Amino acid sequence: MSSKCALLTGITGQDGSYLSEWLLSQGYEVHGIVRRVALEDPDHRLSRLREIRSRLHLHAASLESYASIHRVVHEVQPDECYHLAAQSFVSYSFDDEFSTLNTNINGTHYLLSAVKALTPDCRFYFAGSSEMFGVAETVPQNEDTRFHPRSSYGISKVAGFDLTRNYREAYGLYAANGILFNHESPRRGYEFVTRKISSAVARIAAGKSTELRLGNLDAQRDWGHAREYVQAMWMMLQQPTPDDYVIATGECHSVREFVELAFCHAGLDYRKYVTTDRELFRPAEINLLKGDAAKARRVLGWSHQVKFQDLVREMVDEDCRALGV
Ligand code: NAP
Ligand code: F7E
């Protein structure tokens, strides 16, 4: 067992909660940066951490403030730093490019700069995304595929990726980029399409709703389970040298397939409930993303285990259970 100390940003999110559980199980002392408001409203804002809250060390700080990030890194002196915090909702990035770019790019820069200044031996993980590929020239996408992002979210992640690589190359920081494809779970935020669908299925099955409005049903994504993906983040930081890795299942499915399977699992015919709303289409869509995680398999020994069908069923079951269906 380790006696290492890890610092996470974005600890309240889907990945932050699973990664904290994993690190605790490995014997880590786990610290997290949260927004001050989270400490004022823990029942709501720390809900994903409920089971492990007493074992975590939480620090109020703002990603917009270099001084506050500097203070926490100085206090914690982490061995490993996982930078997960971001405005992560792609649709919203079209409504507010400014806050997306400011939070995601400056937050990454402040954290890298503080780690370099205070704890240069700390290993750093950046949460890169398949959204960086955007309209990719090749299918499937791997570490050599050129980036062509299609949203300010994707652009902010390319900038974070480049900053992370530059701190590795210019200053010798142990800094790794994960290029993670979509990963979901019963802890996924309600705005993302998978959770929007599973929670709507549960409400319809419970007789609390009769309709689900969605955007582009033909978009295809490579969907895996978040619990497995956070282990890949940790594995990246256990290697002798830092590098960048694609994490994906290598399988892709359309939103329509997700919908069909989710409704079917609850004994419902989706065609009776699902309508398409043009307002929910994005100004620039990515029609297909499919990852090639061969490098992660070869170097990290990581591969996904949870199948698409089981992921959909787990999400629907959990949302139905919460409503007593
Ligand atoms: P998530 O559930 O949306 O969590 C985002 C986290 O970032 C939350 O803890 C949130 O804190 C924090 N955050 C957002 N804006 C912030 C700000 N201005 N200041 C401080 N904290 C802020 O996202 P996730 O699915 O766990 O993803 C984790 C990371 O991986 C993100 O960087 C995301 O972009 C990236 N990623 C995700 C996927 C995926 O499929 N899930 C794939 C590739 C990359 P609050 O709770 O206070 O809002
Ligand atoms: O959309 C389509 C939508 O919002 C998936 C983030 O974690 O993964 C996530 O980004 C697809 C898109 O995720 C609705 O147009 C149809 O094609 O669930 P999403 P995302 O945009 O792929 C990447 C890897 C990240 O890095 C991000 O942080 O579903 N879609 N109808 C819809 N999407 C939403 N949200 N809502 C709909 O009604």
Side-chain angles (χ1 to χ4, degrees), residues 9-16 35 38 45 48 61-64 83-88 103 127-130 153 157 180-184 187-189 192 233:
T9 67
I11 194 168
T12 58
Q14 170 187 254
D15 291 6
R35 303 192 230 209
R45 290 178 177 265
R48 295 185 178 102
S62 166
L63 270 194
E64 280 88 44
H83 178 38
L84 309 181
Q87 191 302 94
S88 72
T103 301
S129 163
S130 51
Y153 171 79
K157 288 291 178 180
L180 271 54
F181 282 63
N182 298 53
H183 44 281
E184 320 293 315
R187 298 185 195 171
R188 189 55 143 153
F192 299 94
M233 297 175 184

Side-chain angles (χ1 to χ4, degrees), residues 147-273:
F147 295 145
H148 182 155
R150 296 268 282 173
S151 62
S152 60
Y153 171 79
I155 292 166
S156 75
K157 288 291 178 180
V158 173
F161 177 98
D162 283 338
L163 277 164
T164 302
R165 187 172 52 189
N166 189 240
Y167 269 64
R168 178 167 83 214
E169 293 175 358
Y171 310 122
L173 208 72
Y174 187 114
N177 283 298
I179 307 174
L180 271 54
F181 282 63
N182 298 53
H183 44 281
E184 320 293 315
S185 74
R187 298 185 195 171
R188 189 55 143 153
Y190 286 97
E191 291 171 304
F192 299 94
V193 78
T194 55
R195 189 73 192 281
K196 186 172 171 184
I197 296 165
S198 65
S199 60
V201 166
R203 280 199 312 281
I204 291 168
K208 292 175 185 290
S209 173
T210 53
E211 191 194 25
L212 171 60
R213 299 178 87 79
L214 290 170
N216 182 9
L217 297 180
D218 296 319
Q220 297 183 57
R221 289 291 183 275
D222 178 332
W223 278 298
H225 198 298
R227 189 185 289 110
E228 298 185 330
Y229 282 45
V230 301
Q231 291 181 21
M233 297 175 184
W234 175 78
M235 287 169 158
M236 285 178 213
L237 296 199
Q238 311 314 307
Q239 302 309 307
T241 49
D243 208 341
D244 309 322
Y245 299 91
V246 161
I247 300 297
T249 70
E251 244 185 58
C252 71
H253 298 272
S254 66
V255 173
R256 191 186 305 281
E257 281 176 78
F258 196 108
V259 166
E260 199 167 355
L261 197 56
F263 276 80
C264 179
H265 185 55
L268 300 166
D269 178 354
Y270 81 96
R271 288 167 298 189
K272 291 189 188 149
Y273 307 98

Side-chain angles (χ1 to χ4, degrees), residues 5 37 55 66 135 159 241 271 277:
C5 171
V37 285
R55 300 166 67 197
Y66 177 72
V135 220
T241 49
R271 288 167 298 189
D277 183 345

Side-chain angles (χ1 to χ4, degrees), residues 41 51 62 111 125 197 219 281 283 307 318:
D41 182 14
E51 305 290 317
S62 166
L111 192 58
Y125 172 83
I197 296 165
F281 280 60
K307 304 239 173 318
E318 283 292 313

